[in-house]
Each structure stands twice: as structure tokens, then as C-alpha cells.
Amino acid sequence: SIIHPAILRTQAVSVTKRNTTPSLSQLPMVQLTATPASALADEPVHIRVTGLRPLQMVTLMASLKDEKGNVFWSRAFYKANEVGELDLMQTPAFGGDYVGVHPMGLFWSLKPKKAFQRLLKKDVMNSPFWITLNLYDSVCFEDVITDQVMASQVVQRWFSGPGLQRVQIREGRVRGALFLPPGEGPFPGVIDLFGGRGGLVEFRASLLAARGFAVLALAYFAYEDLPSDLLEIDLEYFEEAANLLLAHPKVQTPGIGVISVSKGAEIGLAMACFLKQVVATIWINGTNAIFEFPLRYKDMVITPIPTFVERMQLDISGAMRLRHYKGDPWDELNQQSVLPIEKALGSILFIVGENDECMNSKEYAEQALHQLRSHGRNNGRMLLYPGAGHLIEPPYSPLCYASPNKNFSLPLLWGGDPAAHAAAQEHSWGEILKFFRQHLTQTRSKL
Amino acid sequence: MMIQLTATPTSALIDEPVHIRATGLPPFQIVVLQATLKDEMGNLFHSHAYYKANEVGEVDLERAPSLGGDYVGVHPMGLFWSLKPENILTKLLKRDVMSSPFLVQIKLYDSNLPLIHIPTTAPKVSLTLERWYTAPGTKRIQVREGHIRGTLFLPPGEGRFPGVIDLFAGVGGLIESRASLLASHGFATLALAYCDYEDLPSQPEKTDLEYFEEAVNFLLRHPKVLGPGVGIVSISKGAEIGLSMAIHLKQVTATVLINGPNFVIRIPQVYRGQISQPLPFSPQLLSINALGLAEFQHNFEEARNEANENFLLPIEKAQGHFLFIVGEDDKNLNSKAYAKQATEQLRRNGKNNWTLLSYPGAGHLLEAPYSPLCCASKISSLHLFIHWGGEVTPHAIAQEHSWKEIKKFLRKHLLPVVTSQL
């Protein structure tokens, strides 16, 4: 290789040596500020450094340990201005995990030390993620940092706000967690569905609740006494959950919203088609047809479009790309599996990552919209994000390159270019809140 | 009908293609082909591809497209160049190039098994191929003459052969795999070490071109070497040296520069009292990609923008010919930009003694055909993984094409032109 260990050490050391000659007159005190130091995880943080030497080259590093003890970290190399200051809202990073002006770059470029780990908050109520911001006096690019920390700051990233209530749900068949905002309400109700990993993922539901919605994070397999494997989609289970939510005294009637991603979005779209209780649906990187296993609703059974094992592809990292795995919903032999989206009464927002490596989300959304248009409906809209991958999550969530899934022997590749994916998350979250406020806010008729 | 798997030739040089065919399958049956290799350190490498038999139950890799797995499309040698290590980022490297081949096992599973089931399923048929780094009759000679350290590979047969010096990247040690292959194709090739090998310094403070001049003279003096000129095949840091040799030594008549710089890197170069300083390196311009791999291709940009022309190696002074080989997806060096600048310098000086081959999707480590892509490595004592770049399929195509061009180029400029006299 062209890069020899010696060159890097020589360069790094000489920079340090030049800069550690203290002047006898007062040394400016280096200050690292991050405001707010404690906030909801979808709120931006303003990071500034003062008291550096003019044009001093530094490394800003963020690190976090998740609830399983996995370490995530990120870094960027900055140059102070003529008065020894850095303001991440204005100063570009020269290199590191991102380049350019990215005030929240240290958060969304966090990477796991152990490959293929996904950052996911389990306990959303009682503890935040603690992110340590460290400032170093040189360009530190090795995995092992030998430099002294010049300044440090810890920020807390919460997934729930004060007064938010979490209620474990075990009623009838329904399993999940209901998040209620503080106050009397009633609040617009939303069901939150995640994808093929199963279990119960709560962090998006709790964040939405912190923004004023009554959100039911709904599990549908591999959780408590629910089936451990997903073998069919029983839409009556989801209808039961919708009715349960609407029956709650703090939830607005007569309609609810659904926010859903991946396999959850296939279900969310089915709910939009068949359940009149659903008036606003957010579909993120899902499908427009039934795949893998049948969907059942009362007397109706929709059989799945087959998947093709042989079409899986392996990425250079060894992760599996499933993008080409599924059969074609445009194929005339598969039409009975395509969801009758023209039957949906409510509004649908399709959020698509164009670089989704797990499924052909863009094609599915386009076909769904085509179907709406051909039936004279205009209750659907798509937000297409170039460079974004499969796992579009709330803002500042780190891009997960690939992560394990129990149904496959190799980690699944999600796709996405980090900076574009981060921008998509930030933008789409605003659109999600706007969409739900627009379609779920009660228009009270005055009598 | 019995299922049969054939692969010809079963024993060959690693840069020779293999024709793989399966017959006797149920028509339109989907099958999995797997290749496995164990290197000399015991590391396992695997590749898989899914194929669909035709209406007479055949799969011919020269015609049938892979539907999925480690590559897609028609790639007769895909199973070889898409081999992936079990231990992520392990590089496939043959240490003993003379006395043993790599053994590649090809296995056929007669259903579209998910990969998770392959380790616990017996294949329907399997065979083993030998992939050699030397042709029979190739001679390997340890070289310890004067200051020179390296290995000379002589082609089989009588007579004299055009001489080539093979220079690898600055990782130290001695890599013989390319030199032994070149010898198998008729070139007397000296794999020349220049740091961290035998009694050579482990971290030299300068590059002394007189050492390389000594190697050139050694080669030309050898009774089996055909003069009057020699060729160079060089990559990365080796290509910085190769370029400098071509500039200063008139005996160098053909130089292959693979993903190299047109300036001095890290340590100064000296030649008979003349010193060429290295271009400054800006550590802060390092990029870390989505997988956490370090990309160095921008670290010279600041210096290149500010530097005057004295930093550029005076390529216009070279008398021989150049073949530039560029991987456009090189993440270690900005090879495309450096080759472009070097060829523009030649053009400005009225020279047309060069050819530039630029390969989209190819990375830094362009090696012999069918070598698996190593996209990153950990350099010992440096705590990070270096991203070399390259996408699997385009990189493989680039290796296959550039190897043919390298041999053509060396033959054209090192073999005497026979003209008939009337």
C-alpha cells in the first residue's frame, strides 16, 4: 500500500508537538458546548468549541454504549477559525465519518465497533442514550486514541418526554405498548408497525407520542404469547388493535393513523385498504402486494407472490441483498396478490429510500400510485429520497449498514449513503408530523 | 440421467480461464454452484452462484447467467473472482508460488438451497481444480547480489527472454505471485524487494534510485536476459519508483504504472546527489466510509492544489513507453487524477509514448485475472482498516482486461521487431 504506518505517526506527532508549547501568558480555556445537553432524540444539538488556537486542527469524537454494551462511535476533523472557534452549524468537517457542514453529523454517522450491530433503544421511558463528545488536539484517525482529551461533554438523547405515559397492552389478542402524551386529550391515535425483525420496537412510537399523538406500538409476532414466527397476516388482529385504540378515552375518534415500515408497511397498506378506521397511513419502504405468506381478513384470503431464493445477492461485506428477491407485482399472474389500494378511504403517504437494498420500494410505491390514479383517486403521495436506504427512522438515527435477521444466515443489507440517508430522515420526520396533524386533527363541528 | 460436473482444464495457471459445465440435471432446475478454497494459512474462501438449467438439463457457465449469489450475469470465472473469506477482509495471497497450487473445490447442489443450508448438505457432485502460479519448467532463483534482494523467475525453455522488474506496493516483504506469472508467460522477471525484507531496512528514510539501477544492470547482465532494455510492472508506491526509474534510467524501455502517484510519497527520493522531496500529506482529509473503512484518496489534495510543478515527477524526461492502468474506484490513491495529470504533462511536452487504461468500478489492488477482490486490509501496527476500493464485478473485468494489455505492451516494447529483408 502507499500508506505506511510511519508517515501517519510522524505527521500526527509533529502536529501535536508544534501545538503543545504553552505560552506563559494565559492559555485560553478550551470550551466545548453542546446545547441542549438533554433533549428528545429527534431534536438537533448545537455544538461549539471556543478557546482553541487560531486554525488549530482538532478531532471531535462522539461515542455511545447501547443497552447491550455495544460501542458506537464517530469522528470528524475540524479546523478552528482565526479566533480559535468552531461552530458545527457553520464549520465544515475536512474528513472523518463525514465531510462538509453537518451540525448533527457526529450523531447520524455513529458506527458500531462490532460489525453489523444496529442501534436501537429498548427502554424508552427510564433512560436516555448518553453520548460522550470528546475533543482532541490533533487529527486522530486510528482506532486507538492515545491523545489526551482536550474537552468533553455528555449529551442525553431521550425517547420520551416529561409526563409521557407508557401502558403495557395485553387486552384480547392485542400485544404492545401504548404511549400517551401528558394531559387530558383526546389525542389523535396512531398505530406503529415495525418489520420482519418481530418483537416490539418502541422508540418511534414514544417519540411520536412526545409530539402529541397517542401511539400504540403494536407487536404481531415473536413477542410475549404471540406466534414466534410470522406465518400469515390476520388482519382481524390489527382491526382489534385499531378498535382498542379508538375505544381509549384519551384517543380521538372516529379515525386513526398508521405509521409502518418494511413488512409492517405491507400490513399498514392492507389496513388502509380494508379497515375504515384507518384514515391516514404512512408507508415507509414497504410493498404494495402480499408476499411470503397469505393475508387473511374475515372470509378473504390473499395469497402471496412467491419469493425467489436464487435471486439473493451477496455484498462485498458478506451481507445479503434481498432487493431482487421478490416476485413481480406487475406480472399478470400475480394480480390477485396486489392490494386493492383504490379501496382505501384515507390518505396515504409513501416514503421511499431510492437506495433501498432490501426491497424495491420505489417500484412498489409507483405501482400503488399508478393504481390510485387509474381509479381516479388522488389520496396518495410519494416522497422519494435519493441516496436513502431501507431503514428510514427518526432524525439523527445512525445509518445501519446491515444487521442480522433470524430468518437468514447472513446479515441483511439495508442500503443508503450516510449523508443522504440522514437528510432523508430529517426531512421525512417533519413530513410525517405534518401529515398526521393534517389528517388526524379533529375538525370539530360546532353545534 | 446422471448429473455430471466438468471443469476444463483441471490444472492450469491461475490466469487461465476454466470452462465449467453441468449436465444431466432436470430441465429448468435451479442449482447452486459453490467454490471453496483454503489458503496456506488455513483461511477459507467461498463463493456461490445460482443457475437455472436449460431445457436439456445443462448449465454452461460460458452461456448461462447467474441469477444470484456472489455475482449475477454471464461470468464464466465468477466463482473464482467472487471468492470471499470467512474471516472478513482476509486477503488471498499465495506465498509458495513454485511447489504447490491453490486447490479450488467446485460443488453442485441440485436445488435452490438457501445458503444457510449449504454447510449441512452434501453436494450432488464436486471436483477439485489446481490453480498454479508457475508454468512447468519455470525456474526460481533467490537473488542476493550486491545490495539487491529479491527473486528472479526464468521462463521455461532455451534462449534469452525479455527482462522485467516487478515492484509491489510499499508494504514491505516480497510478493512473488505476479513475477512468477509473468515468467510463465515468457518474461525473465525479477521480483524486487525494497523494504522490510531480509537485510533491507524495515522503515527506510529515503528511496535510493541507485539500488534500482543496480537491479536493472543485474538483470541486463544475466545470460538468460535479452536486452537492450528492460520493462517494469509496478503498483502503488512501487509505481512511484517505477516512474522515477523510467525517468532516470535509459535502459527502462517499457513501464507499467498501476494506480501510482506522479509525485514522491512519504520519504524523499535520491539519485546521484539529486533529492526529490515528498508531497505533504494532510491527515485531516481522511474519509471513513459507511463500513468504518479508512479512505486515503483525498489526503494529498491540499498539497496538490498548493504545490508548484517542482513536486511533480518530470515524466517528460523518460525515453521509454508507459502503460497507465487506473482503477477509477481507487479509495487509497486518487489514481485517476494522477494519471491524468501525468499524461497531460507528456502531451504538453509533445510526447505520445503512453497509453492510459481507465477502468470504472475497479479499485486500488489490481492483480492477476480471477483474483478475488480484497476491498480492505488491516496494515499491521496501524489501528484501522484501509479501504482499497473496487466493486467486485467491474474489478474482475478490469483485472482480466488489463493483464492481457500488460503482456501485449511488454512484448511490443521488449521483443525485437522482426522485419523481413527483400
Side-chain angles (χ1 to χ4, degrees), chain A residues 316-343:
Chain A
I316 186 74
S317 67
M320 227 186 263
R321 174 184 297 112
L322 293 183
R323 188 184 178 127
H324 307 287
Y325 204 50
K326 294 175 161 43
D328 185 3
W330 280 109
D331 190 331
E332 56 182 26
L333 294 173
N334 291 333
Q335 290 316 297
Q336 74 286 355
S337 309
V338 177
L339 287 167
I341 189 178
E342 65 279 4
K343 291 192 177 156

Side-chain angles (χ1 to χ4, degrees), chain A residues 316, chain B residues 328-331 361-364 373-375 387-395:
Chain A
I316 186 74
Chain B
E328 293 187 2
D329 199 47
D330 190 339
K331 299 292 189 189
H364 187 68
L373 171 66
C374 175
C375 76
H387 190 203
W388 306 119
E391 296 158 50
V392 178
T393 302
H395 191 91

Side-chain angles (χ1 to χ4, degrees), chain A residues 1-9 11-12 15 57-58 74-79 93-99 109-112 115-116 139-144 307-321 324-325 399-402 406-410 416-418, chain B residues 30 48 50-51 67-72 84 88 112-116 169-171 195 202-203 236-238 240 259 261 265-266 279-294 296 300 302 332-333 364 373-375 378-386 388 390 392:
Chain A
S1 86
I2 201 78
I3 302 301
H4 190 283
I7 184 182
L8 302 166
R9 293 249 163 62
Q11 297 271 358
V15 166
M57 205 73 81
V58 297
S74 62
R75 72 191 72 191
F77 312 123
Y78 286 94
K79 188 191 236 178
F94 278 94
D97 283 291
Y98 58 91
V99 172
S109 69
L110 282 167
K111 293 180 174 67
F116 307 138
V139 178
C140 306
F141 43 74
E142 288 189 65
D143 285 4
V144 176
T307 47
F308 296 85
V309 169
E310 62 273 14
R311 294 210 217 136
M312 126 340 241
Q313 291 176 18
L314 290 170
D315 173 68
I316 186 74
S317 67
M320 227 186 263
R321 174 184 297 112
H324 307 287
Y325 204 50
L399 172 67
C400 179
Y401 186 86
K406 64 178 187 136
N407 295 314
F408 297 92
S409 53
L410 295 166
D417 155 59
Chain B
I30 302 213
H48 309 85
Y50 289 86
Y51 286 92
L67 304 170
D70 282 289
Y71 61 95
V72 291
K84 289 184 174 68
I88 197 176
N112 59 342
L113 273 183
L115 290 191
I116 194 171
V171 277
C195 73
S202 57
Q203 278 179 35
S236 196
K237 170 77 177 172
E240 174 210 308
N259 289 327
I265 285 187
R266 182 170 57 88
L279 196 67
F281 172 91
S282 313
Q284 73 276 13
L285 297 179
L286 172 78
S287 267
I288 300 170
N289 82 346
L291 265 176
L293 307 172
F296 287 97
F300 289 108
E302 195 174 26
N332 187 251
L333 277 186
H364 187 68
L373 171 66
C374 175
C375 76
K378 192 173 215 288
I379 302 292
S380 62
S381 84
L382 192 61
H383 298 284
L384 47 73
F385 280 89
I386 297 181
W388 306 119
V392 178

Side-chain angles (χ1 to χ4, degrees), chain A residues 222-438:
Chain A
Y223 184 75
E224 298 199 340
D225 54 349
L226 292 170
S228 55
D229 290 299
L230 191 59
L231 296 170
E232 72 167 20
I233 296 169
D234 178 0
L235 212 57
E236 286 189 78
Y237 171 80
F238 298 88
E239 184 166 38
E240 197 181 325
N243 291 335
L244 184 69
L245 187 59
L246 282 166
H248 196 286
K250 287 197 176 176
V251 176
Q252 281 175 15
T253 54
I256 58 161
V258 170
I259 181 167
S260 51
V261 65
S262 193
K263 186 69 179 177
E266 181 176 311
I267 299 169
L269 196 57
M271 291 172 75
C273 294
F274 298 111
L275 308 179
K276 59 185 188 329
Q277 304 91 320
V278 176
V279 300
T281 306
I282 292 182
W283 172 110
I284 304 170
N285 291 326
T287 65
N288 66 322
I290 298 301
F291 288 93
E292 295 169 290
F293 14 76
L295 178 134
R296 189 187 300 275
Y297 181 53
K298 301 195 171 134
D299 294 334
M300 178 189 71
V301 175
I302 301 180
T303 51
I305 297 177
T307 47
F308 296 85
V309 169
E310 62 273 14
R311 294 210 217 136
M312 126 340 241
Q313 291 176 18
L314 290 170
D315 173 68
I316 186 74
S317 67
M320 227 186 263
R321 174 184 297 112
L322 293 183
R323 188 184 178 127
H324 307 287
Y325 204 50
K326 294 175 161 43
D328 185 3
W330 280 109
D331 190 331
E332 56 182 26
L333 294 173
N334 291 333
Q335 290 316 297
Q336 74 286 355
S337 309
V338 177
L339 287 167
I341 189 178
E342 65 279 4
K343 291 192 177 156
L345 298 171
S347 294
I348 307 170
L349 179 61
F350 295 89
I351 293 177
V352 176
E354 204 168 31
N355 285 30
D356 189 339
E357 295 284 28
C358 184
M359 46 185 88
N360 236 329
S361 319
K362 182 179 173 185
E363 265 189 40
Y364 301 145
E366 284 178 340
Q367 188 183 3
L369 288 168
H370 170 88
Q371 205 171 321
L372 281 175
R373 278 194 302 272
S374 64
H375 283 90
R377 310 288 313 279
N378 67 346
N379 54 334
R381 185 167 68 96
M382 171 164 77
L383 292 170
L384 176 64
Y385 293 99
H390 187 64
L391 297 177
I392 295 179
E393 296 186 343
Y396 323 126
S397 305
L399 172 67
C400 179
Y401 186 86
S403 54
N405 180 292
K406 64 178 187 136
N407 295 314
F408 297 92
S409 53
L410 295 166
L412 297 186
L413 186 69
W414 304 122
D417 155 59
H421 192 88
Q425 291 186 153
E426 211 173 330
H427 184 268
S428 61
W429 189 243
E431 295 294 311
I432 286 167
L433 296 173
K434 233 165 57 186
F435 178 82
F436 277 148
R437 283 180 188 133
Q438 183 187 347

